[in-house]
């Protein structure tokens, strides 16, 4: 095995960890003005401790303790004590609880030290309880997305960014990542190939493993990530090549897991649902012993369930431990790991006959014993150190191991479409593969603020390096015992419209997966490195310019060992060996302008590009250079009603004028000795509009809504008709999530206090699959499939009493039927109307 690409064992992610306080007191007294840059300086943090009791000296639990004018807050524990973290400075400490008079005292916090305040004695309030709940949650445009690497608010960036916080994920009872995507306009599921993963896309471009991150580190999205561990989901739309190199043009997704906290707490829960689903969960956190410098968190779950699909089953185990270490007043280290084992029945859906979908939601076409077994283990170390008041250094080191073992029938293809006795017949074969992957990452970022004359700078300088080591073993059909040089390929023959129908079977056929023989072994060892610099210049209070560039280098070697004869397959000695080597590099610039006529609004325009490596050769036998994809984006961001509502609109145009396409016979540069040679002469254009609206919780209400329009088509092609749309990208999506918390309307004495209710709707319209018709094939049989439009409508209800919470959810209430398709051979119906309930206990 080759050595990992050299990397520094650095580093760590910003301190997680301050729970947003929910303050039940007068709104005008406790309005939280969060700093716009959203940065938390762990190096300058101190602690405040104290105790709260009633007039009889009894400890009072659940009292809100917060620093006025900030987002720092905590609640008292069962013994009345509290421990509150804050940046160094002078504050007003506010203690409030419904039914008691609010109290304030002045307090000064010193970095790295703990200050104890006198005990608070609560006195009953004689005033009527007419308070509203105000939270320390930042608005959509005030939040800084960690995946953006700059400690600045989204309002200052010439790019669309959306975050979905844990409170929203819990309200909506998110189970899969696709449940959370309904909160982000223009981010959608493209397909669910085999029912074992959720493939995502945005702005007409697919997200692969290059575009999906967990805690800032790429992860293999061949497995469905665990949503119960999420603290938030971050989406940086559009080009992110300057930050991450080889990523698709649509954007990047970062999943941020729950972080350690010094305050002790946690929960245990159980979720049950339709189709025999059940899922226990546990989440515990707190200081390690009595330490003020070390904290931990451990959350995990086990999941088991059947499916609305006949014979489909799944089970999975997930564990996510993490540790936070304050190494010095200026340095913090976060160590995170997770382990996910996922076993499920591979399911390529109901098939298609001549590009028509035979309507069914439950029909299962795979063979007995089919299984997709995946394990994924990862670890991340993130070190953050404050060099001085203006500069900080952040380093990340990560490792991931991914293993997959697939045994399944092949995808439903070559189904008989001629009317007659054999209509709908399909000859099933078997497939088997094994894949393993080691992934290594090192990343170092230096950020700082300074001035040069009248210009203010927020500078990012960084470097990263990563490496994929992959090993893939493919299997093929064995040689016939009675027909030399002929493979046995059939397992059986079924009718996809009626799988129970008795049909004549092949005379010689496969009987098990173990009969398949090794066909090839492919070893890959992709290595990448990048250097980047980016500067947000404040020209004036109203004008900002973001400029930067990245240089990326990529090696893509692979070694393919082929086993073509029975003897060599058995002895594992390769007949042939193919060595492939590619070396690519590219520059990725970025330039954006932000104009802020008022502090709560910004108008922006930007240009950026990204690149996609190509695998083909040109007419002279040389490797093709990467395709350069240009992106133009304009938009407006607004924080309305003093930050209570954020409303953003973005328009974009993405052009890949370097798309690779096969040179066709008859073309002036066609080379008969290289009939598969390619050229960078095609063009794909994506254009669209996105609207994202989010509110803070206000008077009990919270709102998320949005809309997206996208049109992605071939605008120059010698293979497909110009103007024909690319598959899998819906032209329209729309979303609405509306929740109400009854705490704001009812006093403590009513049973309705603790109740919350909400609805979530999601619309997908005008989405295509199948295959684009080829100009180069006379009377081509390829056709596109129009996927039925659908509206998902979900309703949920929750109730919390003391430490116990119960939530119920009814999903797809309208029982809509549509599909996720890959080509025409993985036609997976969406889930029907279903029910789930969760009960949890707060530790």
């Amino acid at each position: 095995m080759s050595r990992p690409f050299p990397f520094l064992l650095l580093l760590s992610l910003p301190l997680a960890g301050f729970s947003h306080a929910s303050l039940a007191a007068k709104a005008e007294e406790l309005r939280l003005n969060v700093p716009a840059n959203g940065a938390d300086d762990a190096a300058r943090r101190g602690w405040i401790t104290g105790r709260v009791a009633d007039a009889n000296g009894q400890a009072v639990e659940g009292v809100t303790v917060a620093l006025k004018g900030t987002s720092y807050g905590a609640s008292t524990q069962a013994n009345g004590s509290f421990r509150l973290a804050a940046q160094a400075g002078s504050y007003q400490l506010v203690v409030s609880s419904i039914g008691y008079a609010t109290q304030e005292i002045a307090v000064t916090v010193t970095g790295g030290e703990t200050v104890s305040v006198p005990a608070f004695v609560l006195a009953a309030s004689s005033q009527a309880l007419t308070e509203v709940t105000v939270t320390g949650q930042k608005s959509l445009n005030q939040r800084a997305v960690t995946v953006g690497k700059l400690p600045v608010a989204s309002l200052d960036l010439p790019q669309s960014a959306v975050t979905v916080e844990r409170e929203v994920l819990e309200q909506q009872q998110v189970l899969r990542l696709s449940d959370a995507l309904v909160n982000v306009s223009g981010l959608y599921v493209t397909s669910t190939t085999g029912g074992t993963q959720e493939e995502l896309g945005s702005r007409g471009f697919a997200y692969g493993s290059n575009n999906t991150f967990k805690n800032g580190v790429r992860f293999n999205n061949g497995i469905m990530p665990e949503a119960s561990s999420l603290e938030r989901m971050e989406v940086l739309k559009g080009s992110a090549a300057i930050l991450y190199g080889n990523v698709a043009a649509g954007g990047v997704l970062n999943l941020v897991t729950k972080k350690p906290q010094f305050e002790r707490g946690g929960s245990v829960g159980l979720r049950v649902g339709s189709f025999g689903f059940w899922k226990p969960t546990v989440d515990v956190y707190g200081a390690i012993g009595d330490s003020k410098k070390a904290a931990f968190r451990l959350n995990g779950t086990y999941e088991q369930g059947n499916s609305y699909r006949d014979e489909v089953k799944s089970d999975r185990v997930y564990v996510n431990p993490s540790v936070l270490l304050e190494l010095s007043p200026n340095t913090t280290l976060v160590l995170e790991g997770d382990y996910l084992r996922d076993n499920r029945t591979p399911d390529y859906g109901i098939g298609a006959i001549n590009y028509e979908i035979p309507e069914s939601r439950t029909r299962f076409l795979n063979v007995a014993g089919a299984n997709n077994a995946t394990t994924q283990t990862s670890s991340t170390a993130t070190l953050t150190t404050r060099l001085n008041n203006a500069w900080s250094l952040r380093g990340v080191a990560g490792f991931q191991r991914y293993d997959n073992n697939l045994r399944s029938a092949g995808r439903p293809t070559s189904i008989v479409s001629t009317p007659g006795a054999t209509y709908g017949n399909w000859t099933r074969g078997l497939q088997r593969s094994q894949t393993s992957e080691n992934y290594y990452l090192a990343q170092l970022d230096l950020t700082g603020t300074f001035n040069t004359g009248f210009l203010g700078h927020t500078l990012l300088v960084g470097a990263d390096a990563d490496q994929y080591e992959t090993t893939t073993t493919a299997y093929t059909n064995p040689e016939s015992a009675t027909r030399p040089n002929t493979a046995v390929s059939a397992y059986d023959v079924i009718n996809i419209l009626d799988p129970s129908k008795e049909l004549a079977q092949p005379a010689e056929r496969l009987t098990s997966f173990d009969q398949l023989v090794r066909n090839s072994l492919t070893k890959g060892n992709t290595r990448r490195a990048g250097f980047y610099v980016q500067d947000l210049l404040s020209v004036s209070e109203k004008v900002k310019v973001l400029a930067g560039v990245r240089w990326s280098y990529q090696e893509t070697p692979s070694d393919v060992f082929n086993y073509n004869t029975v003897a060599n397959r058995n002895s594992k000695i390769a007949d042939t060996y193919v060595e492939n080597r590619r070396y690519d590099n590219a520059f990725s610039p970025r330039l954006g302008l932000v104009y802020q006529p008022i502090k709560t609004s910004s108008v922006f325009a930007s240009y950026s590009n990204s690149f996609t490596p190509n695998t083909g050769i040109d007419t002279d036998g040389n490797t093709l250079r990467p395709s350069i994809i240009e992106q133009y984006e304009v938009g407006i961001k607004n924080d309305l009603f003093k930050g209570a509502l954020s409303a953003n609109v973005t328009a974009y145009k993405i052009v890949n004028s370097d798309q690779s396409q096969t040179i066709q016979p008859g073309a002036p540069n066609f080379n008969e000795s290289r009939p598969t040679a390619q050229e960078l002469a095609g063009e794909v254009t994506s254009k669209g509009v996105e609207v994202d609206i989010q509110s803070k919780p206000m008077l009990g209400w919270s709102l998320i809504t949005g809309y997206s329009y996208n049109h992605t088509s071939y605008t120059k092609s010698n293979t497909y008709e110009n103007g024909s749309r690319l598959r899998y990208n819906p032209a329209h999506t729309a979303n609405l999530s509306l929740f109400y918390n009854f705490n704001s309307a009812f006093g403590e004495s009513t049973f309705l206090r603790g109740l919350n209710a909400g609805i979530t709707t999601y619309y997908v319209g005008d989405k295509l699959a199948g295959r684009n018709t080829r100009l180069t094939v006379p009377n081509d049989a390829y056709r596109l499939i129009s996927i039925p439009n659908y509206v998902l409508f979900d309703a949920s209800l929750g109730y919390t009493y003391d430490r116990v919470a119960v939530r119920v959810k009814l999903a797809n209430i309208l029982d809509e039927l549509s599909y996720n398709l890959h080509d025409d051979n993985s036609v997976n119906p969406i889930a029907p109307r279903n029910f789930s309930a969760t009960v949890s206990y707060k530790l």
Side-chain angles (χ1 to χ4, degrees):
M1 179 179 294
S2 60
R3 290 184 176 180
F5 197 41
F7 63 90
L8 300 175
L9 188 58
L10 313 161
L11 320 232
S12 183
L13 118 152
L15 256 182
F18 298 121
S19 53
H20 294 125
S22 178
L23 307 180
K26 295 180 181 179
E28 62 270 22
E29 291 181 347
L30 298 180
R31 184 174 304 280
L32 300 178
N33 299 313
V34 182
N37 64 9
D40 180 21
D41 184 355
R44 300 182 64 244
R45 182 182 309 152
W47 304 91
I48 305 170
T49 61
R51 185 176 182 273
V52 179
D54 61 17
N56 297 320
Q58 299 296 313
V60 182
E61 183 181 5
V63 175
T64 297
V65 183
L67 299 183
K68 189 174 182 179
T70 77
S71 61
Y72 303 123
S75 297
T76 58
Q77 300 183 34
N79 63 359
S81 66
F82 65 87
R83 189 166 186 263
L84 174 63
Q87 296 292 96
S90 297
Y91 304 93
Q92 286 294 113
L93 181 67
V94 181
V95 176
S96 63
S97 184
I98 291 178
Y100 296 96
T102 298
Q103 300 181 42
E104 293 187 21
I105 65 169
V107 61
T108 298
V109 178
T110 302
E113 298 183 6
T114 299
V115 57
S116 296
V117 297
F120 288 90
V121 178
L122 296 181
S125 174
S126 60
Q127 297 180 350
L129 299 177
T130 59
E131 302 91 344
V132 297
T133 298
V134 181
T135 73
Q137 183 179 6
K138 301 173 186 177
S139 74
L140 173 64
N141 292 326
Q142 290 171 342
R143 301 172 202 154
V145 288
T146 58
V147 74
K149 296 188 178 181
L150 277 178
V152 298
S154 174
L155 193 70
D156 294 332
L157 291 178
Q159 187 170 11
S160 179
V162 177
T163 56
V164 182
E165 301 293 332
R166 175 174 53 84
E167 292 81 2
V168 173
L169 302 177
E170 291 180 349
Q171 280 182 332
Q172 296 176 345
Q173 300 174 62
V174 164
L175 178 65
R176 297 284 179 255
L177 192 57
S178 56
D179 299 330
L181 300 186
V182 303
N183 299 296
V184 183
S185 69
L187 182 60
Y188 45 81
V189 174
T190 60
S191 59
T192 55
T193 308
T196 59
Q197 65 181 120
E198 294 178 327
E199 296 156 299
L200 311 180
S202 176
R203 297 188 174 184
F205 294 86
Y207 282 23
S209 295
N210 281 336
N211 286 62
T212 50
F213 296 79
K214 181 182 289 184
N215 298 319
V217 177
R218 284 182 171 94
F219 77 95
N220 191 314
N221 68 349
I223 187 172
M224 287 182 281
E226 179 55 44
S228 66
S229 68
L230 296 185
E231 182 67 27
R232 67 181 179 274
M233 182 178 78
E234 301 177 336
V235 180
L236 190 63
K237 299 183 182 181
S239 175
I242 189 174
L243 302 175
Y244 297 101
N246 178 23
V247 291
V252 293
L253 168 69
N254 185 39
L255 305 178
V256 181
T257 56
K258 297 174 181 176
K259 305 303 180 188
Q261 296 185 27
F262 284 91
E263 296 78 14
R264 292 189 179 275
S267 64
V268 293
L270 175 66
R271 177 168 179 161
V272 296
S274 302
F275 320 115
F277 179 89
W278 62 285
K279 180 174 185 171
T281 60
V282 61
D283 179 19
V284 292
Y285 52 84
I288 298 177
D290 296 325
S291 174
K292 298 178 182 179
K293 302 294 184 181
F296 78 97
R297 189 157 197 162
L298 176 65
N299 65 79
T301 182
Y302 173 75
E303 177 184 312
Q304 188 176 70
N306 297 322
S307 172
Y308 57 96
R309 303 277 300 139
D310 295 340
E311 302 181 46
V312 174
K313 298 179 180 180
S314 66
D315 69 84
R316 57 198 266 139
V317 175
Y318 177 76
V319 182
N320 173 214
S322 56
V323 175
L324 164 65
L325 303 172
E326 293 196 357
L327 303 181
S328 74
N330 295 318
T331 305
T332 60
L333 174 67
V334 176
L335 304 173
E336 300 173 276
D338 64 7
Y339 168 83
L340 176 60
R341 176 191 59 75
D342 184 285
N343 289 330
R344 63 186 59 241
T345 307
D347 176 22
Y348 293 102
I350 61 176
I353 302 177
N354 196 25
Y355 298 94
E356 296 288 338
I357 301 174
E359 186 171 306
S360 174
R361 185 168 247 149
T362 62
R363 188 181 303 126
F364 179 72
L365 302 179
N366 215 325
V367 300
N371 185 51
N372 187 79
T374 306
T375 58
Q376 187 176 60
T377 306
S378 67
S379 59
T380 306
T382 310
L383 186 73
T384 304
T385 183
R386 171 68 63 174
L387 304 176
N388 54 41
N389 289 336
W391 292 89
S392 64
L393 191 66
R394 178 177 180 266
V396 180
F399 169 77
Q400 178 190 127
R401 172 74 181 188
Y402 173 88
D403 291 281
N404 176 263
N405 193 336
L406 171 66
R407 295 186 173 206
S408 173
R411 301 183 187 184
T413 60
S414 303
I415 299 169
V416 177
S417 59
T418 304
T422 60
Y423 181 75
N425 283 4
W426 171 44
T427 301
R428 290 193 294 188
L430 300 180
Q431 62 173 322
R432 179 183 172 190
S433 66
Q434 293 171 282
T435 302
S436 63
E437 176 184 279
N438 290 325
Y439 176 67
Y440 308 88
L441 167 84
Q443 176 183 300
L444 186 64
D445 292 322
L446 174 68
T447 56
T449 57
F450 61 95
N451 293 315
T452 56
F454 68 93
L455 287 176
H457 301 264
T458 302
L459 183 68
L460 165 68
V461 179
D464 56 35
D466 65 354
Q467 177 180 14
Y468 284 98
E469 293 179 340
T470 59
T471 302
T472 302
T473 304
Y475 293 81
T476 191
N477 299 310
E479 189 174 8
S480 169
T482 59
R483 295 170 295 161
N485 301 318
T486 302
V488 179
S489 60
Y491 175 76
D492 64 1
V493 181
I494 66 169
N495 187 279
I496 73 163
L497 302 176
D498 182 7
S500 64
K501 185 178 180 180
E502 293 188 7
L503 300 173
Q505 300 299 321
E508 187 177 17
R509 47 190 286 208
L510 300 171
T511 58
S512 73
F513 294 104
D514 292 332
Q515 286 184 280
L516 299 177
V517 294
R518 180 191 293 233
N519 181 46
S520 66
L521 175 67
T522 302
K523 295 185 176 182
N525 193 14
T526 299
R527 297 183 287 266
R528 298 181 293 206
F531 304 91
Y532 46 94
V533 58
Q534 183 172 259
D535 193 6
L536 179 65
L537 299 96
S538 297
V539 180
S540 69
E541 289 187 358
K542 296 184 177 182
V543 178
K544 294 180 174 67
V545 176
L546 182 65
V549 66
R550 175 192 177 99
W551 178 78
S552 299
Y553 171 77
Q554 180 167 321
E555 299 178 9
T556 317
S558 67
D559 301 306
V560 182
F561 302 86
N562 295 305
Y563 303 89
N564 300 323
T565 64
V566 174
N568 284 356
R569 287 170 185 163
N570 293 334
S571 65
K572 299 183 180 179
I573 299 175
D575 293 286
T576 60
Y577 164 71
V578 179
E579 180 181 83
N580 299 300
R581 297 291 183 269
R582 285 191 59 86
Y583 305 94
D584 294 303
N585 65 85
F587 283 95
S588 301
R590 181 184 190 186
L591 180 64
L593 175 66
V594 179
Y595 174 66
Q596 297 176 332
I598 57 176
K599 291 184 178 181
T600 56
S601 294
S602 67
V603 180
F604 69 88
S606 68
Y607 166 81
S608 57
N609 74 29
S610 56
F611 68 96
T612 300
N614 291 297
T615 58
I617 59 172
D618 64 18
T619 187
D620 296 320
N622 301 316
T623 57
L624 293 174
R625 62 173 175 79
S627 296
I628 303 300
I629 304 171
E630 298 183 304
Q631 184 157 179
Y632 308 86
E633 187 171 349
V634 296
I636 182 170
K637 301 178 183 181
N638 293 285
D639 272 353
L640 308 173
F641 310 113
K642 297 183 179 180
L645 185 72
S646 299
N648 303 338
V649 181
T650 305
Y652 59 86
K653 182 178 181 180
I654 307 172
V655 182
N656 179 4
S657 57
D658 278 339
Q659 189 190 37
S660 62
Q661 60 183 16
T662 302
I663 302 172
Q664 298 300 319
N669 56 342
F670 179 76
N671 187 337
E672 291 185 358
S673 64
R674 295 190 178 92
T676 61
Q678 297 179 329
E679 60 181 345
L680 301 181
E683 183 178 85
V684 168
T685 301
S686 169
K687 52 188 177 182
V689 176
E690 296 165 347
V691 179
D692 285 290
I693 299 173
Q694 280 192 22
S695 77
K696 289 183 180 180
M698 184 60 62
L699 299 176
W701 292 97
S702 60
L703 168 74
I704 297 176
T705 187
Y707 167 78
S708 73
Y709 167 79
N710 174 264
H711 184 88
T712 305
S713 63
Y714 295 100
T715 47
K716 186 188 296 182
S717 176
N718 62 11
T719 306
Y720 305 107
E721 182 179 353
N722 289 339
S724 59
R725 285 174 53 199
L726 272 68
R727 303 165 295 167
Y728 313 133
N729 307 299
H732 306 277
T733 70
N735 60 283
L736 170 66
S737 177
L738 184 63
F739 277 80
Y740 181 68
N741 191 324
F742 287 78
N743 289 4
S744 296
F746 295 91
E748 192 171 14
S749 61
T750 176
F751 75 95
L752 288 177
R753 184 168 183 82
L755 183 68
N756 61 80
I759 60 169
T760 300
T761 64
Y762 181 58
Y763 169 74
V764 174
D766 195 6
K767 184 179 178 183
L768 301 174
R771 301 172 189 268
N772 288 82
T773 303
R774 297 163 295 183
L775 300 173
T776 55
V777 178
N779 301 315
D780 189 17
Y782 282 5
R783 295 210 309 271
L784 292 172
I785 299 175
S786 181
I787 300 174
N789 302 344
Y790 63 92
V791 176
L792 294 180
F793 181 74
D794 303 343
S796 62
L797 192 66
Y799 187 75
T800 301
Y801 178 78
D802 195 16
R803 295 175 178 268
V804 178
V806 179
R807 297 185 181 93
V808 294
K809 178 180 179 180
L810 188 60
N812 195 5
I813 294 174
L814 304 177
D815 203 27
E816 291 273 72
L817 175 60
S818 189
Y819 308 90
N820 287 305
L821 272 74
H822 180 84
D823 293 336
D824 61 333
N825 52 40
S826 187
V827 184
N828 299 96
I830 64 174
R833 183 185 300 116
N834 62 91
F835 167 84
S836 63
T838 303
V839 59
S840 62
Y841 178 78
K842 186 176 181 181
L843 300 175

